[in-house]
Amino acid sequence: MRLLVQKKYEAQKVKRAVSNEMCNLSHAELVKIPILEISKYNVKVLDLHNNSISSINDTFGRLKTLIKLDLSANKLTTLPSSIGQLFKLRSLTLYDNCLTDLPISFGRLSKLRYLNLHNNPLSEELKAVTGCCFTSKDCQKCAVDTVQYYKHKMRMDRKRKQEITEYSERTKKEEPTPFFEADIGRPISTKVKKMVQDIEERLRK
């Protein structure tokens, strides 16, 4: 019953906040984002600044119509990987949060043209990429450089995974199959393999 009342309250709050493809939930004392309710309105602009949001559910990727998103002055420590599904996003404001890094899926935000990360405890590596975000021009450069940085990380990650897969497949082909593994037709544990190797070594002696 309590959950139903809370959902009804969230639905009413979002409905009041929506106008002309914009949803203004700034200063709304939110600790979590009512993603499901917001997604019903296909908003292009979402303002969530000055709340107490510390984390975002991975269903955030549902908000695919977003062009402009303001999450400044919250308590965010991470962003969900699903943010990479917001392919239309052009402006993202994240100043005054607790972010140290961004998800690798950030590399998919090819349309992003404005990114403000001012006053976040970013890692030294990321800070070197983003630079300072004092002016609008700084934020435009930050957006382009940051997306390129994570796009490169995505390519490197794919390459690394491919190399691991290829190495694993090559190793399987080269590895001899113990006599009873072939008979049983299923993999054997490393512990059992070691026992067999020890027995075979003793027999050779």
PDB file of all heavy atoms in Angstrom, residues 123-152:
ATOM      1  N   SER A 123      39.573  11.726 -11.393  1.00  0.00           N
ATOM      2  CA  SER A 123      40.903  11.123 -11.360  1.00  0.00           C
ATOM      3  C   SER A 123      41.858  12.009 -12.160  1.00  0.00           C
ATOM      4  O   SER A 123      41.435  12.758 -13.046  1.00  0.00           O
ATOM      5  CB  SER A 123      40.872   9.721 -11.967  1.00  0.00           C
ATOM      6  OG  SER A 123      40.580   9.795 -13.357  1.00  0.00           O
ATOM      7  N   GLU A 124      43.142  11.912 -11.862  1.00  0.00           N
ATOM      8  CA  GLU A 124      44.133  12.749 -12.547  1.00  0.00           C
ATOM      9  C   GLU A 124      44.132  12.488 -14.051  1.00  0.00           C
ATOM     10  O   GLU A 124      44.270  13.415 -14.856  1.00  0.00           O
ATOM     11  CB  GLU A 124      45.535  12.486 -11.968  1.00  0.00           C
ATOM     12  CG  GLU A 124      45.723  13.020 -10.551  1.00  0.00           C
ATOM     13  CD  GLU A 124      45.488  14.518 -10.442  1.00  0.00           C
ATOM     14  OE1 GLU A 124      45.961  15.255 -11.336  1.00  0.00           O
ATOM     15  OE2 GLU A 124      44.820  14.958  -9.485  1.00  0.00           O
ATOM     16  N   GLU A 125      43.948  11.223 -14.432  1.00  0.00           N
ATOM     17  CA  GLU A 125      43.923  10.863 -15.851  1.00  0.00           C
ATOM     18  C   GLU A 125      42.760  11.531 -16.570  1.00  0.00           C
ATOM     19  O   GLU A 125      42.919  12.107 -17.647  1.00  0.00           O
ATOM     20  CB  GLU A 125      43.830   9.340 -16.003  1.00  0.00           C
ATOM     21  CG  GLU A 125      43.886   8.875 -17.449  1.00  0.00           C
ATOM     22  CD  GLU A 125      43.775   7.363 -17.599  1.00  0.00           C
ATOM     23  OE1 GLU A 125      43.816   6.655 -16.572  1.00  0.00           O
ATOM     24  OE2 GLU A 125      43.645   6.898 -18.740  1.00  0.00           O
ATOM     25  N   LEU A 126      41.574  11.459 -15.959  1.00  0.00           N
ATOM     26  CA  LEU A 126      40.387  12.056 -16.581  1.00  0.00           C
ATOM     27  C   LEU A 126      40.463  13.583 -16.563  1.00  0.00           C
ATOM     28  O   LEU A 126      40.050  14.245 -17.525  1.00  0.00           O
ATOM     29  CB  LEU A 126      39.121  11.572 -15.868  1.00  0.00           C
ATOM     30  CG  LEU A 126      37.786  12.047 -16.464  1.00  0.00           C
ATOM     31  CD1 LEU A 126      37.696  11.708 -17.954  1.00  0.00           C
ATOM     32  CD2 LEU A 126      36.616  11.430 -15.706  1.00  0.00           C
ATOM     33  N   LYS A 127      41.015  14.135 -15.496  1.00  0.00           N
ATOM     34  CA  LYS A 127      41.145  15.589 -15.384  1.00  0.00           C
ATOM     35  C   LYS A 127      42.028  16.149 -16.501  1.00  0.00           C
ATOM     36  O   LYS A 127      41.787  17.239 -17.024  1.00  0.00           O
ATOM     37  CB  LYS A 127      41.738  15.954 -14.014  1.00  0.00           C
ATOM     38  CG  LYS A 127      41.472  17.392 -13.579  1.00  0.00           C
ATOM     39  CD  LYS A 127      42.140  17.687 -12.248  1.00  0.00           C
ATOM     40  CE  LYS A 127      41.537  16.874 -11.124  1.00  0.00           C
ATOM     41  NZ  LYS A 127      42.166  17.188  -9.821  1.00  0.00           N
ATOM     42  N   ALA A 128      43.031  15.370 -16.876  1.00  0.00           N
ATOM     43  CA  ALA A 128      43.925  15.789 -17.962  1.00  0.00           C
ATOM     44  C   ALA A 128      43.188  15.834 -19.296  1.00  0.00           C
ATOM     45  O   ALA A 128      43.548  16.604 -20.188  1.00  0.00           O
ATOM     46  CB  ALA A 128      45.104  14.828 -18.051  1.00  0.00           C
ATOM     47  N   VAL A 129      42.138  15.022 -19.426  1.00  0.00           N
ATOM     48  CA  VAL A 129      41.344  14.985 -20.655  1.00  0.00           C
ATOM     49  C   VAL A 129      40.308  16.105 -20.672  1.00  0.00           C
ATOM     50  O   VAL A 129      40.156  16.822 -21.670  1.00  0.00           O
ATOM     51  CB  VAL A 129      40.618  13.625 -20.802  1.00  0.00           C
ATOM     52  CG1 VAL A 129      39.698  13.623 -22.021  1.00  0.00           C
ATOM     53  CG2 VAL A 129      41.625  12.492 -20.902  1.00  0.00           C
ATOM     54  N   THR A 130      39.593  16.261 -19.563  1.00  0.00           N
ATOM     55  CA  THR A 130      38.464  17.208 -19.513  1.00  0.00           C
ATOM     56  C   THR A 130      38.909  18.663 -19.436  1.00  0.00           C
ATOM     57  O   THR A 130      38.226  19.550 -19.936  1.00  0.00           O
ATOM     58  CB  THR A 130      37.567  16.917 -18.304  1.00  0.00           C
ATOM     59  OG1 THR A 130      38.316  17.107 -17.082  1.00  0.00           O
ATOM     60  CG2 THR A 130      37.039  15.493 -18.336  1.00  0.00           C
ATOM     61  N   GLY A 131      40.067  18.897 -18.817  1.00  0.00           N
ATOM     62  CA  GLY A 131      40.503  20.276 -18.608  1.00  0.00           C
ATOM     63  C   GLY A 131      39.567  20.985 -17.629  1.00  0.00           C
ATOM     64  O   GLY A 131      38.796  20.338 -16.915  1.00  0.00           O
ATOM     65  N   CYS A 132      39.619  22.295 -17.594  1.00  0.00           N
ATOM     66  CA  CYS A 132      38.736  23.058 -16.693  1.00  0.00           C
ATOM     67  C   CYS A 132      37.443  23.401 -17.434  1.00  0.00           C
ATOM     68  O   CYS A 132      37.421  23.472 -18.659  1.00  0.00           O
ATOM     69  CB  CYS A 132      39.425  24.327 -16.205  1.00  0.00           C
ATOM     70  SG  CYS A 132      39.973  25.390 -17.550  1.00  0.00           S
ATOM     71  N   CYS A 133      36.385  23.579 -16.691  1.00  0.00           N
ATOM     72  CA  CYS A 133      35.079  23.888 -17.287  1.00  0.00           C
ATOM     73  C   CYS A 133      34.566  25.219 -16.727  1.00  0.00           C
ATOM     74  O   CYS A 133      33.508  25.270 -16.097  1.00  0.00           O
ATOM     75  CB  CYS A 133      34.082  22.767 -17.014  1.00  0.00           C
ATOM     76  SG  CYS A 133      34.500  21.197 -17.778  1.00  0.00           S
ATOM     77  N   PHE A 134      35.293  26.285 -16.947  1.00  0.00           N
ATOM     78  CA  PHE A 134      34.900  27.593 -16.427  1.00  0.00           C
ATOM     79  C   PHE A 134      33.995  28.358 -17.390  1.00  0.00           C
ATOM     80  O   PHE A 134      33.114  29.085 -16.977  1.00  0.00           O
ATOM     81  CB  PHE A 134      36.138  28.445 -16.121  1.00  0.00           C
ATOM     82  CG  PHE A 134      37.006  27.867 -15.030  1.00  0.00           C
ATOM     83  CD1 PHE A 134      38.369  27.738 -15.208  1.00  0.00           C
ATOM     84  CD2 PHE A 134      36.461  27.435 -13.830  1.00  0.00           C
ATOM     85  CE1 PHE A 134      39.170  27.204 -14.208  1.00  0.00           C
ATOM     86  CE2 PHE A 134      37.247  26.896 -12.822  1.00  0.00           C
ATOM     87  CZ  PHE A 134      38.616  26.773 -13.017  1.00  0.00           C
ATOM     88  N   THR A 135      34.238  28.191 -18.678  1.00  0.00           N
ATOM     89  CA  THR A 135      33.459  28.917 -19.684  1.00  0.00           C
ATOM     90  C   THR A 135      32.708  27.938 -20.578  1.00  0.00           C
ATOM     91  O   THR A 135      32.966  26.735 -20.579  1.00  0.00           O
ATOM     92  CB  THR A 135      34.376  29.783 -20.571  1.00  0.00           C
ATOM     93  OG1 THR A 135      35.220  28.911 -21.355  1.00  0.00           O
ATOM     94  CG2 THR A 135      35.256  30.695 -19.715  1.00  0.00           C
ATOM     95  N   SER A 136      31.790  28.489 -21.360  1.00  0.00           N
ATOM     96  CA  SER A 136      31.020  27.664 -22.292  1.00  0.00           C
ATOM     97  C   SER A 136      31.948  26.998 -23.314  1.00  0.00           C
ATOM     98  O   SER A 136      31.754  25.834 -23.680  1.00  0.00           O
ATOM     99  CB  SER A 136      29.994  28.536 -23.013  1.00  0.00           C
ATOM    100  OG  SER A 136      29.228  27.765 -23.905  1.00  0.00           O
ATOM    101  N   LYS A 137      32.972  27.738 -23.747  1.00  0.00           N
ATOM    102  CA  LYS A 137      33.936  27.198 -24.701  1.00  0.00           C
ATOM    103  C   LYS A 137      34.703  26.025 -24.088  1.00  0.00           C
ATOM    104  O   LYS A 137      34.972  25.019 -24.754  1.00  0.00           O
ATOM    105  CB  LYS A 137      34.904  28.297 -25.134  1.00  0.00           C
ATOM    106  CG  LYS A 137      35.752  27.925 -26.336  1.00  0.00           C
ATOM    107  CD  LYS A 137      36.580  29.110 -26.810  1.00  0.00           C
ATOM    108  CE  LYS A 137      37.423  28.727 -28.021  1.00  0.00           C
ATOM    109  NZ  LYS A 137      38.240  29.866 -28.493  1.00  0.00           N
ATOM    110  N   ASP A 138      35.065  26.159 -22.794  1.00  0.00           N
ATOM    111  CA  ASP A 138      35.742  25.064 -22.081  1.00  0.00           C
ATOM    112  C   ASP A 138      34.875  23.807 -22.085  1.00  0.00           C
ATOM    113  O   ASP A 138      35.367  22.693 -22.308  1.00  0.00           O
ATOM    114  CB  ASP A 138      36.017  25.460 -20.624  1.00  0.00           C
ATOM    115  CG  ASP A 138      37.058  26.552 -20.495  1.00  0.00           C
ATOM    116  OD1 ASP A 138      37.871  26.716 -21.426  1.00  0.00           O
ATOM    117  OD2 ASP A 138      37.054  27.236 -19.452  1.00  0.00           O
ATOM    118  N   CYS A 139      33.573  23.999 -21.830  1.00  0.00           N
ATOM    119  CA  CYS A 139      32.643  22.866 -21.741  1.00  0.00           C
ATOM    120  C   CYS A 139      32.416  22.208 -23.095  1.00  0.00           C
ATOM    121  O   CYS A 139      32.207  20.993 -23.175  1.00  0.00           O
ATOM    122  CB  CYS A 139      31.314  23.325 -21.153  1.00  0.00           C
ATOM    123  SG  CYS A 139      31.446  23.881 -19.432  1.00  0.00           S
ATOM    124  N   GLN A 140      32.475  22.997 -24.154  1.00  0.00           N
ATOM    125  CA  GLN A 140      32.339  22.437 -25.498  1.00  0.00           C
ATOM    126  C   GLN A 140      33.541  21.559 -25.835  1.00  0.00           C
ATOM    127  O   GLN A 140      33.395  20.461 -26.372  1.00  0.00           O
ATOM    128  CB  GLN A 140      32.208  23.571 -26.512  1.00  0.00           C
ATOM    129  CG  GLN A 140      30.871  24.298 -26.438  1.00  0.00           C
ATOM    130  CD  GLN A 140      30.860  25.597 -27.231  1.00  0.00           C
ATOM    131  OE1 GLN A 140      31.762  25.855 -28.035  1.00  0.00           O
ATOM    132  NE2 GLN A 140      29.850  26.420 -27.011  1.00  0.00           N
ATOM    133  N   LYS A 141      34.730  22.053 -25.506  1.00  0.00           N
ATOM    134  CA  LYS A 141      35.966  21.281 -25.736  1.00  0.00           C
ATOM    135  C   LYS A 141      35.973  20.025 -24.863  1.00  0.00           C
ATOM    136  O   LYS A 141      36.375  18.942 -25.294  1.00  0.00           O
ATOM    137  CB  LYS A 141      37.187  22.141 -25.432  1.00  0.00           C
ATOM    138  CG  LYS A 141      38.519  21.467 -25.799  1.00  0.00           C
ATOM    139  CD  LYS A 141      39.682  22.401 -25.552  1.00  0.00           C
ATOM    140  CE  LYS A 141      41.009  21.794 -26.041  1.00  0.00           C
ATOM    141  NZ  LYS A 141      41.305  20.497 -25.443  1.00  0.00           N
ATOM    142  N   CYS A 142      35.517  20.189 -23.625  1.00  0.00           N
ATOM    143  CA  CYS A 142      35.452  19.065 -22.685  1.00  0.00           C
ATOM    144  C   CYS A 142      34.583  17.943 -23.247  1.00  0.00           C
ATOM    145  O   CYS A 142      34.945  16.766 -23.163  1.00  0.00           O
ATOM    146  CB  CYS A 142      34.890  19.546 -21.343  1.00  0.00           C
ATOM    147  SG  CYS A 142      34.637  18.241 -20.134  1.00  0.00           S
ATOM    148  N   ALA A 143      33.449  18.287 -23.836  1.00  0.00           N
ATOM    149  CA  ALA A 143      32.530  17.289 -24.398  1.00  0.00           C
ATOM    150  C   ALA A 143      33.198  16.488 -25.505  1.00  0.00           C
ATOM    151  O   ALA A 143      33.188  15.247 -25.492  1.00  0.00           O
ATOM    152  CB  ALA A 143      31.273  17.977 -24.926  1.00  0.00           C
ATOM    153  N   VAL A 144      33.797  17.184 -26.461  1.00  0.00           N
ATOM    154  CA  VAL A 144      34.421  16.526 -27.613  1.00  0.00           C
ATOM    155  C   VAL A 144      35.596  15.642 -27.175  1.00  0.00           C
ATOM    156  O   VAL A 144      35.694  14.473 -27.567  1.00  0.00           O
ATOM    157  CB  VAL A 144      34.912  17.575 -28.645  1.00  0.00           C
ATOM    158  CG1 VAL A 144      35.690  16.903 -29.770  1.00  0.00           C
ATOM    159  CG2 VAL A 144      33.726  18.345 -29.210  1.00  0.00           C
ATOM    160  N   ASP A 145      36.464  16.188 -26.324  1.00  0.00           N
ATOM    161  CA  ASP A 145      37.662  15.452 -25.882  1.00  0.00           C
ATOM    162  C   ASP A 145      37.307  14.234 -25.030  1.00  0.00           C
ATOM    163  O   ASP A 145      37.927  13.174 -25.154  1.00  0.00           O
ATOM    164  CB  ASP A 145      38.594  16.379 -25.091  1.00  0.00           C
ATOM    165  CG  ASP A 145      39.250  17.435 -25.977  1.00  0.00           C
ATOM    166  OD1 ASP A 145      39.141  17.313 -27.210  1.00  0.00           O
ATOM    167  OD2 ASP A 145      39.856  18.373 -25.427  1.00  0.00           O
ATOM    168  N   THR A 146      36.308  14.387 -24.169  1.00  0.00           N
ATOM    169  CA  THR A 146      35.921  13.294 -23.269  1.00  0.00           C
ATOM    170  C   THR A 146      35.284  12.142 -24.038  1.00  0.00           C
ATOM    171  O   THR A 146      35.593  10.968 -23.784  1.00  0.00           O
ATOM    172  CB  THR A 146      34.960  13.790 -22.174  1.00  0.00           C
ATOM    173  OG1 THR A 146      35.566  14.872 -21.460  1.00  0.00           O
ATOM    174  CG2 THR A 146      34.613  12.689 -21.187  1.00  0.00           C
ATOM    175  N   VAL A 147      34.415  12.461 -24.991  1.00  0.00           N
ATOM    176  CA  VAL A 147      33.788  11.416 -25.809  1.00  0.00           C
ATOM    177  C   VAL A 147      34.861  10.672 -26.616  1.00  0.00           C
ATOM    178  O   VAL A 147      34.847   9.438 -26.688  1.00  0.00           O
ATOM    179  CB  VAL A 147      32.716  12.013 -26.752  1.00  0.00           C
ATOM    180  CG1 VAL A 147      32.251  10.967 -27.770  1.00  0.00           C
ATOM    181  CG2 VAL A 147      31.521  12.498 -25.938  1.00  0.00           C
ATOM    182  N   GLN A 148      35.810  11.403 -27.193  1.00  0.00           N
ATOM    183  CA  GLN A 148      36.888  10.778 -27.958  1.00  0.00           C
ATOM    184  C   GLN A 148      37.744   9.875 -27.076  1.00  0.00           C
ATOM    185  O   GLN A 148      38.161   8.791 -27.497  1.00  0.00           O
ATOM    186  CB  GLN A 148      37.778  11.860 -28.602  1.00  0.00           C
ATOM    187  CG  GLN A 148      37.148  12.552 -29.795  1.00  0.00           C
ATOM    188  CD  GLN A 148      36.816  11.583 -30.925  1.00  0.00           C
ATOM    189  OE1 GLN A 148      37.595  10.698 -31.268  1.00  0.00           O
ATOM    190  NE2 GLN A 148      35.631  11.747 -31.499  1.00  0.00           N
ATOM    191  N   TYR A 149      38.005  10.322 -25.864  1.00  0.00           N
ATOM    192  CA  TYR A 149      38.810   9.549 -24.907  1.00  0.00           C
ATOM    193  C   TYR A 149      38.149   8.202 -24.602  1.00  0.00           C
ATOM    194  O   TYR A 149      38.803   7.147 -24.645  1.00  0.00           O
ATOM    195  CB  TYR A 149      38.982  10.369 -23.628  1.00  0.00           C
ATOM    196  CG  TYR A 149      39.563   9.627 -22.456  1.00  0.00           C
ATOM    197  CD1 TYR A 149      40.905   9.288 -22.408  1.00  0.00           C
ATOM    198  CD2 TYR A 149      38.751   9.281 -21.363  1.00  0.00           C
ATOM    199  CE1 TYR A 149      41.442   8.618 -21.319  1.00  0.00           C
ATOM    200  CE2 TYR A 149      39.277   8.620 -20.266  1.00  0.00           C
ATOM    201  CZ  TYR A 149      40.618   8.291 -20.248  1.00  0.00           C
ATOM    202  OH  TYR A 149      41.143   7.621 -19.163  1.00  0.00           O
ATOM    203  N   TYR A 150      36.840   8.236 -24.317  1.00  0.00           N
ATOM    204  CA  TYR A 150      36.144   6.991 -23.981  1.00  0.00           C
ATOM    205  C   TYR A 150      35.881   6.134 -25.219  1.00  0.00           C
ATOM    206  O   TYR A 150      35.791   4.906 -25.123  1.00  0.00           O
ATOM    207  CB  TYR A 150      34.851   7.282 -23.218  1.00  0.00           C
ATOM    208  CG  TYR A 150      35.121   7.605 -21.772  1.00  0.00           C
ATOM    209  CD1 TYR A 150      35.128   8.922 -21.323  1.00  0.00           C
ATOM    210  CD2 TYR A 150      35.433   6.602 -20.863  1.00  0.00           C
ATOM    211  CE1 TYR A 150      35.412   9.229 -20.000  1.00  0.00           C
ATOM    212  CE2 TYR A 150      35.719   6.890 -19.531  1.00  0.00           C
ATOM    213  CZ  TYR A 150      35.710   8.202 -19.118  1.00  0.00           C
ATOM    214  OH  TYR A 150      36.006   8.493 -17.809  1.00  0.00           O
ATOM    215  N   LYS A 151      35.783   6.757 -26.376  1.00  0.00           N
ATOM    216  CA  LYS A 151      35.649   6.004 -27.624  1.00  0.00           C
ATOM    217  C   LYS A 151      36.924   5.182 -27.857  1.00  0.00           C
ATOM    218  O   LYS A 151      36.862   4.022 -28.260  1.00  0.00           O
ATOM    219  CB  LYS A 151      35.410   6.967 -28.789  1.00  0.00           C
ATOM    220  CG  LYS A 151      34.915   6.294 -30.063  1.00  0.00           C
ATOM    221  CD  LYS A 151      34.639   7.314 -31.156  1.00  0.00           C
ATOM    222  CE  LYS A 151      33.356   8.051 -30.872  1.00  0.00           C
ATOM    223  NZ  LYS A 151      32.993   8.967 -31.993  1.00  0.00           N
ATOM    224  N   HIS A 152      38.061   5.805 -27.589  1.00  0.00           N
ATOM    225  CA  HIS A 152      39.348   5.102 -27.709  1.00  0.00           C
ATOM    226  C   HIS A 152      39.428   3.956 -26.699  1.00  0.00           C
ATOM    227  O   HIS A 152      39.876   2.856 -27.031  1.00  0.00           O
ATOM    228  CB  HIS A 152      40.485   6.095 -27.476  1.00  0.00           C
ATOM    229  CG  HIS A 152      41.847   5.460 -27.457  1.00  0.00           C
ATOM    230  ND1 HIS A 152      42.444   4.938 -28.596  1.00  0.00           N
ATOM    231  CD2 HIS A 152      42.720   5.230 -26.430  1.00  0.00           C
ATOM    232  CE1 HIS A 152      43.616   4.426 -28.267  1.00  0.00           C
ATOM    233  NE2 HIS A 152      43.814   4.597 -26.973  1.00  0.00           N
TER     234      HIS A 152
END
